[in-house]
Amino acid sequence: MRNKPLLSWVEEMAKMCQPDKIHWCDGSVEEKERLEEEAIKTGELIRLNQEKLPGCLFHRTDPSDVARTEDLTFICTSDKDSAGPNNNWMSPEEGYRKAREIFAGSMTGRTMYVMPFSMGPVGSPFAKIGVQLTDSIYVVLNMRIMTRMGTHVLDNLGEWGEFTKCLHGKADVNPNRRLILHFPEDNTIWSVGSGYGGNALLGKKCLSLRLASTIAKKEGWLAEHMLIMGIEDPSGNIDYIAAAFPSACGKTNLAMLIPPEGLKKKGYRIWTVGDDIAWMQVDSDGNLWAINPEAGFFGVAPGTNSLTNPNAMTAIQKDTIYTNVLLKPDGTVWWEDGDGAVPEEGIDWLGNPWKPGTGVQAAHPNSRFTAPITNCPSISHRIEHHHGVPISAIVFGGKRSHLTPLVYEALNWEHGVYMGAIMASERTAAQYGKLGEVRRDPMAMLPFCGYNMADYFSHWLDMGKKMTNPPKIFNVNWFKRDDNGKFLWPGYGENLRVLEWIIARCKGDVEAKKTAIGYLPMPESLDLNGLDLELEKLLEINQQDWIEETKAVSEFFSTFGSRLPQILWDEHNALCNRLKME
Ligand code: GTP
Ligand code: SPV
Ligand code: MN
């Protein structure tokens, strides 16, 4: 290893954290097995039933450390405005000082692992290299699944190659001494006091979204909280779409859906490229191309079963790490709305004996599985392709019990950017906060845009101008409910019916109805064969509710002051006028 800046940085960090040992990860299977043994000995990990779940492990995080902590997540830039009202801000000096106090000596008695990793296929023009230091074996084993990690990345980095400096330490896993800090000016991330998912796997939200979005703005590309999937039609043609839904709103499920019976007969197949993050650039053909920078899934366990997501169920049968689910006496796992009968007993996510019917949750609502994407039966053959896949449609969506219809289409790119900017969703368990509360979450990026979102909207508008053939933009809502609180739409595999319409619109194959909010499907152009549902309610636009919504949007837009692009206000006023005319 000859990268001098890397060597001196590791040395400097070790001086601060004072680990007993430093281990450079090579990414090999032997190394993985050694680390597993070690973590099993200390109780950090439990080996699951190797006959039923070969290669699978189980982990419980601290009960105070089960989701991303957005209130402890900061962007540390010299100028506060560049972080925007969408981010918590600290000056870099303050950030380093506060975190240094927690990091100092925190690795005494522990090993510091050095993990070179690549987001994106190693050597791809899209790819970015990071090096994460951590004192958690659980984190090493997760990063090993979620990224391309090991010596080959160091080789690719070379002597003077640039990398993101990612420092992570659990310290004493105390929420009062927890900070997730981003220093975009230094290409640096410091995360301390958490061992959970998006707080601790620094290649994921911290590098691939918060830092990458900042770089993408400068370099003219997009880093987005989006799934990427291919939809192969009966003639064998594959159209790719990228879809942004907020955390725990259905990306993983849509990315690997299995066509429902009726549509399967037509010959559709789905190919999974990614379930959480998309990096997209305009290529020389004037189209938008996307890669998934990750190599695994860090997916929500509850609700995942062989009916809702058979591909995920197959993917997590081997070499998977389960976090905060129920441990069964036979060394397998379970969660609410999982496969099989409700177990008669087990150990819950808190480590306590559990029995059904006591009202206690078996698995935490944000319990997760970490599985390699190569385990997924629907994996796309272009997953390692250096230029990714061409995107035909961009889809926005969220959880809205009321208001937004099943699907609608933007009038043009600018209007589509507006549609993304006014997205809102009911809060889920993926982050701390009040469940169910509607919050504005533009492009599903509110917690992940590493700079002022007003500038992010301008960047989206600029991107439209760079493409000769920009993707069409849509909005979907699988979560609309009737007056009794029941979902109006069956969701999951049936969502393909909506994707079929979206692709048909991209190709110009079907007419649509122009409304105040955008284009809606003609009822007869959606294939609803075999479904019994209230389509009028699903496609309804309640004028009064929409007028109320525009007021909330005005308030939200105003938080950005004069930095918000005028085009978004123009789109907003145009929508208000169209609504009044209806
Ligand atoms: P992150 O990993 O947090 O970014 O989440 P995600 O967007 O990948 O969400 P995921 O696909 O894991 O779904 C979250 C929850 O929504 C799970 O409990 C699913 O069962 C449920 N869900 C997903 N798709 C649908 C759907 O079409 N309809 C309904 N009703 N529920 C769904
Ligand atoms: C999300 O919360 O959007 C996730 C899980 O995908 S985490 O990695 O914890 O951010
Ligand atoms: Mn996510």
Side-chain angles (χ1 to χ4, degrees):
M1 221 300 299
R2 295 198 311 269
N3 191 296
K4 295 214 179 64
L6 173 56
L7 285 174
S8 58
W9 171 66
V10 171
E11 203 177 301
E12 192 191 330
M13 295 301 103
K15 216 164 141 192
M16 172 171 72
C17 301
Q18 296 286 310
D20 285 9
K21 278 189 282 185
I22 299 179
H23 173 85
W24 287 73
C25 297
D26 60 18
S28 66
V29 174
E30 295 74 44
E31 177 180 79
K32 166 180 170 271
E33 287 170 354
R34 236 181 317 114
L35 291 176
E36 286 176 5
E37 286 307 323
E38 200 179 319
I40 287 164
K41 259 191 229 142
T42 62
E44 186 182 351
L45 290 171
I46 293 174
R47 202 181 289 291
L48 292 171
N49 184 323
Q50 292 301 291
E51 260 165 49
K52 295 183 175 156
L53 295 168
C56 293
L57 296 160
F58 172 86
H59 175 76
R60 276 187 213 105
T61 59
D62 189 273
S64 71
D65 189 28
V66 293
R68 282 182 294 99
T69 39
E70 292 175 6
D71 54 323
L72 303 174
T73 302
F74 290 81
I75 300 296
C76 304
T77 43
S78 0
D79 155 42
K80 185 170 186 210
D81 278 349
S82 59
N86 48 299
N87 281 301
N88 298 313
W89 176 85
M90 240 189 238
S91 73
E93 295 73 31
E94 189 186 2
Y96 284 126
R97 182 175 51 75
K98 285 200 164 142
R100 205 177 282 124
E101 281 171 18
I102 311 170
F103 271 119
S106 66
M107 294 190 189
T108 303
R110 303 178 188 174
T111 300
M112 176 191 265
Y113 298 94
V114 184
M115 291 182 285
F117 65 91
S118 174
M119 299 314 295
V122 179
S124 153
F126 277 95
K128 298 260 177 265
I129 290 179
V131 180
Q132 177 164 346
L133 313 180
T134 184
D135 57 1
S136 157
I137 294 182
Y138 169 75
V139 166
V140 174
L141 294 174
N142 271 273
M143 285 288 285
R144 209 181 166 278
I145 298 174
M146 296 305 296
T147 73
R148 287 129 174 122
M149 190 266 270
T151 310
H152 62 304
V153 177
L154 274 191
D155 296 342
N156 186 261
L157 184 63
E159 208 169 333
W160 295 105
E162 266 187 59
F163 62 95
T164 305
K165 300 189 274 287
C166 308
L167 173 65
H168 168 254
K170 286 179 297 184
D172 52 358
V173 202
N174 177 348
N176 297 321
R177 287 155 45 80
R178 180 175 298 158
L179 288 170
I180 294 95
L181 307 178
H182 304 73
F183 304 90
E185 291 154 17
D186 302 336
N187 198 9
T188 295
I189 300 157
W190 279 19
S191 162
V192 68
S194 166
Y196 191 80
N199 291 338
L201 312 177
L202 303 188
K204 199 172 176 50
K205 296 301 176 15
C206 301
L207 190 162
S208 293
L209 289 177
R210 297 199 191 93
L211 286 194
S213 61
T214 309
I215 299 168
K217 155 92 171 133
K218 280 194 202 109
E219 295 180 355
W221 51 282
L222 293 167
E224 299 298 327
H225 191 203
M226 289 179 175
L227 68 92
I228 310 167
M229 68 194 286
I231 300 142
E232 181 175 329
D233 73 13
S235 70
N237 177 63
I238 307 179
D239 275 284
Y240 294 91
I241 68 164
F245 310 153
S247 302
C249 287
K251 290 183 299 300
T252 303
N253 279 271
L254 190 67
M256 48 184 89
L257 76 74
I258 292 205
E261 269 321 307
L263 290 200
K264 205 182 281 165
K265 285 197 208 100
K266 286 188 179 171
Y268 281 103
R269 289 202 67 168
I270 297 302
W271 300 107
T272 308
V273 182
D275 80 327
D276 199 47
I277 300 177
W279 285 356
M280 308 195 282
Q281 328 189 345
V282 182
D283 214 328
S284 48
D285 61 356
N287 289 320
L288 191 63
W289 288 69
I291 67 152
N292 168 17
E294 302 191 280
F297 306 121
F298 184 62
V300 177
T304 309
N305 63 53
S306 298
L307 288 175
T308 56
N309 195 345
N311 279 324
M313 286 310 294
T314 305
I316 62 180
Q317 295 310 305
K318 60 173 189 186
D319 302 325
T320 295
I321 303 172
Y322 292 92
T323 305
N324 295 340
V325 296
L326 180 91
L327 182 60
K328 296 206 301 189
D330 69 347
T332 63
V333 289
W334 187 80
W335 46 81
E336 277 73 15
D337 295 319
D339 265 354
V342 177
E344 280 165 23
E345 58 176 328
I347 314 268
D348 68 15
W349 68 276
L350 285 161
N352 298 322
W354 179 91
K355 279 198 183 314
T358 53
V360 177
Q361 295 253 340
H364 187 273
N366 192 40
S367 55
R368 301 240 169 194
F369 51 78
T370 319
I373 194 166
T374 46
N375 276 5
C376 182
S378 60
I379 183 175
S380 160
H381 67 286
R382 293 182 73 95
I383 206 85
E384 292 294 330
H385 196 286
H386 282 191
H387 284 260
V389 296
I391 298 297
S392 305
I394 288 174
V395 181
F396 294 123
K399 281 195 178 161
R400 293 301 295 262
S401 302
H402 309 287
L403 197 79
T404 50
L406 177 64
V407 59
Y408 65 106
E409 179 192 329
L411 302 171
N412 51 48
W413 182 266
E414 281 79 16
H415 179 236
V417 174
Y418 172 75
M419 266 164 49
I422 69 167
M423 262 171 74
S425 192
E426 287 150 26
R427 209 188 263 270
T428 64
Q431 68 281 108
Y432 284 93
K434 194 162 169 265
L435 281 181
E437 172 189 74
V438 172
R439 74 159 178 179
R440 307 237 74 88
D441 189 354
M443 281 88 169
M445 280 289 277
L446 182 77
F448 308 121
C449 178
Y451 61 101
N452 193 315
M453 244 179 164
D455 301 350
Y456 169 82
F457 297 143
S458 305
H459 179 48
W460 262 85
L461 292 167
D462 290 344
M463 285 295 293
K465 293 186 205 123
K466 287 172 55 170
M467 291 179 265
T468 45
N469 185 22
K472 280 188 185 289
I473 300 179
F474 298 82
N475 193 284
V476 298
N477 180 16
W478 315 137
F479 301 94
K480 208 169 181 190
R481 293 177 194 261
D482 66 13
D483 298 337
N484 301 318
K486 218 175 128 274
F487 287 124
L488 285 161
W489 178 251
Y492 301 102
E494 308 292 349
N495 294 336
L496 180 58
R497 298 173 190 268
V498 173
L499 301 185
E500 186 184 37
W501 181 77
I502 287 176
I503 302 293
R505 285 296 294 164
C506 291
K507 293 190 159 56
D509 287 350
V510 284
E511 294 291 311
K513 184 174 144 199
K514 197 167 178 180
T515 72
I517 64 166
Y519 294 111
L520 258 80
M522 308 283 197
E524 63 278 8
S525 55
L526 280 173
D527 181 345
L528 300 178
N529 215 347
L531 293 187
D532 179 18
L533 43 76
E534 297 176 89
L535 189 62
E536 314 78 63
K537 281 202 180 146
L538 274 164
L539 296 180
E540 182 187 37
I541 301 167
N542 182 310
Q543 193 185 354
Q544 207 44 49
D545 289 353
W546 270 94
I547 290 173
E548 283 307 309
E549 182 78 354
T550 57
K551 291 180 193 157
V553 170
S554 294
E555 238 171 73
F556 178 66
F557 277 6
S558 299
T559 62
F560 296 99
S562 58
R563 214 154 165 151
L564 194 91
Q566 183 56 38
I567 294 178
L568 290 190
W569 278 120
D570 296 345
E571 286 294 340
H572 184 66
N573 295 333
L575 172 65
C576 293
N577 287 333
R578 289 195 302 267
L579 284 168
K580 281 176 205 132
M581 278 165 6
E582 278 223 328

